[in-house]
Amino acid sequence: MTDTPTPSPELSPQQVAAMLSGFNVDVPAVLALLQSEFSSEQQELTEQQESSITIGEAIDSYLAPLTEGTRRGYRTSLLRYRGGIEPICDQMCKPCLEEHGTVFRCRCDCQRCVDSRVSLPPQGELIVSAETMSLDNARIVATAARRIALKRARLLDANRTADGRSARRADGRGAEEMAIGALRALFKLHDYPLETKALKKPSRNQTNRRALTDVQLSELCHTTETGGDDPELDSLLVEFCIATGARRKGAYSLTVGQIEQHDQIIRVNDKGDKDVPMPVSSELIDRLLAHAIGRGGAKCDPTKRGVYDNRAAVFWIHQGRNMYTPLTARRFDTLHQRWHRSHGWAERGQVGYHHLRHTIANRLKAGWGQHVAQRYLRHADTGVTDNYGRCEIEELAAAMGELLGFEHLLVAGEEQSRQDHERRFYGAEPGSSRAQADR
């Protein structure tokens, strides 16, 4: 009976070098060759491990670190990609408009429906590969996103027409653009980039959003202040948007820690997950804090040490007798519906919270220039040359103070510094003829 040979232990590079030292060989060259072979084996092993990731796991790991807004936008299309897409056509016949849960399925046998159908089997359990992350699959998901958006809009328009309201304009471009953006990012992360020319995002329609007139703005404010089940909250939301240009997220995610009372600054965070300081009136800050403390309690009060929580919400909804809950995005839909019921022009133009921001930006552009409006809107710079014409916060504070009728500390502080400078260097009272002559 022969003994089974035991495998020899792996040798370190130093041991190999010692063994080869008595032979007439190029030891460094041999070690370099061994190291190269080892690196190739390690790389191959790593690639095999990466290739064992499923589409479902890849989607989950990609969505996890995204910001809330991006995750919400990308999630729908990526989940369709993972779970598969039922056959869906581009027609609007009655059987094809029946929504089963959240899924549209083409059930018509007409030739147009049959010829235009697209579908995708579930991909979640399949391994990430060139076959699963293909251009064809991406096109199917993007096409389905647009068709589903159009069918859903058709159903909503039927309900709106039955209620005597005008139909909304919808073409599915936004849904298709969002799907393509999500797939491009996911595929690129796993080294299967989609060529931009092969899968283009649809061109955007020119917006029909217009700035509100002074009369329209007054009517909206009056409707907000005098109707609804919580006019205090709604009025404060409108005032906050006008003063800061905040989007929905900037309002419902606002915390007391983002309010800098002594500097008259609110750090708005509504896009890109970054705080942008916005100058506001001291009266608005006092009203915001009073609202937060009155409804949210001591945790919203910066003077209550040990209890204060800088992550506490600013806006709270009145839910009943002494019951309040933090603001959610749904409140804006309720506010928009009230505006549309009260004013025909608001319903026809689909006026919403974003129109307030658009209106003030137009006022700033007309009176103080494009760069001030851009700073108010917090849009990214359009080019390097914009750095030379960038609007600083002091200039925005002066413009907003003049537009809305308040004085900001940044502006008052600049004027005080100028007066101190005149007293110090010209030895005269600010504004006097001597000071002006010396300057």
Side-chain angles (χ1 to χ4, degrees):
M1 183 176 180
T2 58
D3 295 335
T4 303
T6 58
S8 58
E10 295 184 359
L11 300 178
S12 66
Q14 292 78 10
Q15 291 174 322
V16 174
M19 292 175 61
L20 297 176
S21 60
F23 299 91
N24 187 21
V25 296
D26 188 350
V27 176
V30 173
L31 291 178
L33 178 62
L34 292 175
Q35 183 64 34
S36 175
E37 291 292 334
F38 176 76
S39 299
S40 299
E41 292 177 359
Q42 286 293 104
Q43 182 178 359
E44 184 178 353
L45 179 61
T46 302
E47 291 177 353
Q48 290 176 353
Q49 291 174 345
E50 290 180 350
S51 65
S52 64
I53 299 176
T54 65
I55 294 294
E57 293 170 342
I59 290 174
D60 291 338
S61 62
Y62 170 69
L63 289 175
L66 298 181
T67 60
E68 178 187 354
T70 305
R71 187 187 307 115
R72 185 172 59 250
Y74 282 2
R75 186 172 182 271
T76 301
S77 297
L78 294 180
L79 290 186
R80 285 184 189 139
Y81 171 50
R82 179 170 69 181
I85 297 172
E86 296 282 351
I88 183 170
C89 65
D90 61 1
Q91 301 300 304
M92 296 294 172
C93 43
K94 187 175 180 180
C96 301
L97 285 177
E98 294 179 359
E99 188 173 14
H100 302 271
T102 59
V103 177
F104 286 95
R105 180 186 177 91
C106 179
R107 299 176 181 275
C108 182
D109 295 328
C110 71
Q111 195 61 41
R112 290 184 177 180
C113 289
V114 173
D115 292 343
S116 63
R117 282 176 187 162
V118 296
S119 63
L120 183 71
Q123 305 288 305
E125 301 300 324
L126 302 181
I127 301 299
V128 171
S129 66
E131 183 179 355
T132 54
M133 287 192 168
S134 65
L135 177 61
D136 290 340
N137 285 353
R139 282 175 174 161
I140 292 173
V141 175
T143 300
R146 184 167 189 168
R147 292 180 179 181
I148 290 172
L150 284 170
K151 291 176 184 288
R152 191 162 289 152
R154 177 65 67 89
L155 292 177
L156 291 175
D157 283 346
N159 295 332
R160 293 175 62 85
T161 303
D163 295 339
R165 295 179 291 166
S166 60
R168 290 183 176 181
R169 187 182 70 171
D171 54 17
R173 291 171 183 263
E176 183 181 7
E177 180 182 353
M178 189 69 70
I180 292 175
L183 294 170
R184 278 184 183 174
L186 177 67
F187 285 20
K188 184 178 180 180
L189 186 64
H190 293 274
D191 296 326
Y192 297 104
L194 293 170
E195 292 293 335
T196 303
K197 293 182 179 180
L199 188 64
K200 293 182 179 180
K201 289 185 177 181
S203 58
R204 295 185 179 183
N205 289 325
Q206 186 175 359
T207 179
N208 61 352
R209 183 182 295 125
R210 296 180 179 179
L212 304 177
T213 66
D214 291 341
V215 173
Q216 290 173 336
L217 185 58
S218 298
E219 288 181 353
L220 286 189
C221 291
H222 178 74
T223 302
T224 304
E225 295 169 357
T226 58
D229 57 356
D230 197 347
E232 176 191 334
L233 170 64
D234 295 337
S235 299
L236 203 53
L237 284 173
V238 169
E239 186 176 351
F240 172 71
C241 178
I242 290 175
T244 64
R247 302 172 177 88
R248 287 190 185 198
K249 183 188 174 184
Y252 69 72
S253 65
L254 184 68
T255 65
V256 289
Q258 292 172 249
I259 299 178
E260 300 177 5
Q261 185 175 16
H262 298 295
D263 296 326
Q264 286 182 232
I265 295 293
I266 295 179
R267 291 182 285 107
V268 177
N269 186 333
D270 56 5
K271 196 172 186 179
D273 198 27
K274 58 182 179 181
D275 291 349
V276 180
M278 299 297 292
V280 297
S281 67
S282 58
E283 291 79 9
L284 176 59
I285 286 185
D286 292 341
R287 288 185 60 198
L288 289 172
L289 288 177
H291 170 87
I293 296 171
R295 297 192 173 193
K299 64 175 176 286
C300 300
D301 190 348
T303 64
K304 302 294 184 182
R305 296 177 179 266
V307 182
Y308 171 66
D309 182 3
N310 62 359
R311 297 168 299 178
V314 171
F315 294 106
W316 297 75
I317 301 175
H318 187 202
Q319 299 287 11
R321 193 171 186 178
N322 297 326
M323 291 181 58
Y324 303 96
T325 56
L327 177 71
T328 64
R330 182 73 182 98
R331 185 67 190 181
F332 298 96
D333 297 330
T334 304
L335 182 58
H336 298 166
Q337 290 168 7
R338 281 176 43 214
W339 289 350
H340 297 171
R341 287 195 302 267
S342 302
H343 307 286
W345 57 264
E347 199 274 335
R348 289 189 297 272
Q350 292 300 300
V351 172
Y353 198 64
H354 207 87
H355 281 74
L356 301 176
R357 156 187 167 90
H358 185 72
T359 299
I360 301 303
N362 270 268
R363 303 286 197 280
L364 291 172
K365 180 181 178 181
W368 291 269
Q370 175 72 25
H371 65 300
V372 177
Q374 182 177 339
R375 174 62 179 82
Y376 170 80
L377 293 169
R378 299 179 302 284
H379 286 164
D381 290 339
T382 56
V384 177
T385 53
D386 284 345
N387 292 330
Y388 300 97
R390 179 179 296 169
C391 173
E392 300 297 339
I393 191 172
E394 292 83 2
E395 187 176 359
L396 178 62
M400 292 300 294
E402 188 173 345
L403 180 65
L404 302 180
F406 69 89
E407 186 178 75
H408 197 277
L409 289 175
L410 291 172
V411 181
E414 182 180 356
E415 178 63 21
Q416 185 63 45
S417 298
R418 185 187 65 79
Q419 293 179 3
D420 292 343
H421 175 81
E422 290 184 357
R423 289 192 184 95
R424 179 179 178 184
F425 289 97
Y426 303 116
E429 287 299 316
S432 65
S433 57
R434 177 183 171 187
Q436 293 176 355
D438 288 342
R439 281 189 289 173

